Amino acid sequence: MMEAIDLENYEKWLTKLDDVLHNALGEPWLGGVVIYASCLDFLHKAILNRFVEDAEKKATVPIKILYRGAVVPQKKPLEEFLAELLDEIPEGKGKLSTEEKSLPAMQTDFAGLADMLQVWDTYNLMVDAGGCTECFSLPQSWRQNYHLKKSRFSLFGALKSCQLIFPDIIKEDWNTSGNEKPCCLFQSPIPKISKFDMDLLRKNLHRSGIDEVYCFKTDGFHSHIEGISNAMLQLYNGSHSEKVPVKQPLIGILGSSRMQSASLDKIGHGIEHIEWDGYGAMFPKDNLLNSWGNLNSVKMNWVVSAQGVFLAQKIQETQGIP
């Protein structure tokens, strides 16, 4: 798994790849290796090519790279290119082991944030390089009516132009389909490492007349737990902090989402007990984006997953609410 620290030193990332290659090349049945590269690897194509050339010289089987991704120029269909690579690899002497199986990759911070925003009537835009949302491991039932706009640029050279023309394009689309909804911005890895200025985009959209613009910090190298946790903290910190009058004592429910086992249907029995004891349950999603300060009116917070821990700690430190 590529981590955020690997972005700072791609050579260090290659040491992880080297370990995987070393283990694979020790298998007697191996006919060859195809490295399935991503857009991020394409950014370091010269370094990766040199690494593979050196590795292939020491190996007894071919090692090839399949570059794919929205920003990778393809002179021919990807299937044809892959077929040509496989033709260069002789048939192996055995079958892949089925003894070990990897767990699915954890959902990214931008995937978690996109899903978190589905509960509000907002205009959501992810600045991405084309295919990042194809990595969302979401049930088909979730994808229906999923409100998320994507930039989907496919050339690195277009980034600077996008920075200039995005505000007008987004404002026009927001006027057409946004219905004066709050505008929520976030990004996937390629714009992040290409230093796309999201804060400048936020300021330009605000100047263009979109009053409520939120820019969330995502980069694709953190988990959905961190993405949702950081977004909740940002919304709380940017909200008013006055306590509001309530009709009954409330308990805040922090960390309930579809991406955690603590979804509403799983904690429903606990909510019933809260109500039996005379309390009301307050979910952050029940508030508008600019009114998360309403959580300062609860008697206590019930943290039902890791997503809610940081916010609960913040409220306890600043408001004394357990």
Side-chain angles (χ1 to χ4, degrees), residues 5-298:
I5 193 172
D6 297 319
L7 287 181
E8 301 170 11
N9 188 341
Y10 191 75
E11 298 280 2
K12 183 178 179 181
W13 158 246
L14 290 181
T15 62
K16 295 183 179 181
L17 181 57
D18 190 48
D19 289 340
V20 175
L21 268 179
H22 178 76
N23 293 332
L25 293 172
E27 297 288 351
W29 49 262
L30 193 72
V33 175
V34 175
I35 296 175
Y36 196 81
S38 69
C39 294
L40 298 172
D41 295 305
F42 183 72
L43 287 176
H44 301 90
K45 183 178 180 181
I47 301 175
L48 182 59
N49 285 350
R50 187 169 62 250
F51 167 82
V52 170
E53 288 172 4
D54 293 340
E56 194 171 30
K57 291 176 183 176
K58 303 173 187 175
T60 57
V61 297
I63 303 175
K64 305 298 178 184
I65 308 173
L66 177 66
Y67 286 108
R68 76 156 306 272
V71 299
V72 179
Q74 298 289 357
K75 297 180 180 178
K76 61 181 70 176
L78 191 65
E79 293 78 6
E80 292 183 18
F81 185 45
L82 176 59
E84 292 177 5
L85 288 184
L86 294 177
D87 284 341
E88 299 180 39
I89 297 177
E91 186 175 344
K93 303 178 180 64
K95 295 183 178 180
L96 288 171
S97 170
T98 58
E99 293 179 3
E100 295 183 7
K101 294 184 181 295
S102 299
L103 292 171
M106 182 177 288
Q107 288 291 287
T108 63
D109 52 4
F110 61 82
L113 179 61
D115 199 64
M116 170 186 168
L117 293 172
Q118 299 305 304
V119 300
W120 288 287
D121 188 21
T122 50
Y123 178 90
N124 306 321
L125 174 71
M126 185 172 86
V127 180
D128 79 320
C132 291
T133 52
E134 294 172 14
C135 302
F136 288 13
S137 299
L138 302 178
Q140 185 60 38
S141 59
W142 291 18
R143 288 178 173 269
Q144 296 174 358
N145 303 318
Y146 209 71
H147 53 286
L148 178 64
K149 304 275 184 171
K150 294 157 283 187
S151 61
R152 301 187 66 84
F153 61 82
S154 58
L155 294 172
F156 287 113
L159 267 175
K160 290 185 178 179
S161 298
C162 287
Q163 190 79 69
L164 297 174
I165 65 176
F166 261 10
D168 290 338
I169 294 175
I170 295 171
K171 178 63 186 301
E172 181 179 354
D173 188 59
W174 181 81
N175 285 334
T176 303
S177 59
N179 298 321
E180 299 188 356
K181 301 174 183 177
C183 179
C184 298
L185 308 172
F186 55 104
Q187 64 183 338
S188 65
I190 295 299
K192 173 68 176 180
I193 64 177
S194 302
K195 302 189 185 307
F196 188 90
D197 195 333
M198 293 290 290
D199 192 54
L200 178 61
L201 177 59
R202 178 190 63 79
K203 291 177 181 177
N204 286 335
L205 288 176
H206 190 72
R207 292 191 193 105
S208 71
I210 303 179
D211 293 331
E212 203 172 345
V213 184
Y214 299 87
C215 185
F216 297 99
K217 302 184 186 303
T218 57
D219 58 15
F221 290 92
H222 296 84
S223 70
H224 66 278
I225 296 174
E226 294 170 283
I228 294 175
S229 296
N230 292 334
M232 290 196 301
L233 273 173
Q234 181 178 334
L235 289 170
Y236 176 78
N237 289 334
S239 180
H240 63 79
S241 59
E242 298 84 7
K243 292 187 177 182
V244 297
V246 293
K247 296 180 180 179
Q248 66 179 140
L250 299 173
I251 292 179
I253 313 298
L254 304 183
S256 175
S257 79
R258 299 190 299 181
M259 284 194 169
Q260 293 291 97
S261 58
S263 55
L264 183 57
D265 59 322
K266 299 290 178 60
I267 62 173
H269 188 60
I271 301 297
E272 289 179 358
H273 277 275
I274 286 174
E275 293 172 346
W276 290 341
D277 289 338
Y279 292 91
M282 177 186 282
F283 290 85
K285 66 182 180 62
D286 295 334
N287 297 296
L288 298 174
L289 291 185
N290 60 2
S291 61
W292 275 51
N294 290 345
L295 284 168
N296 292 334
S297 301
V298 303

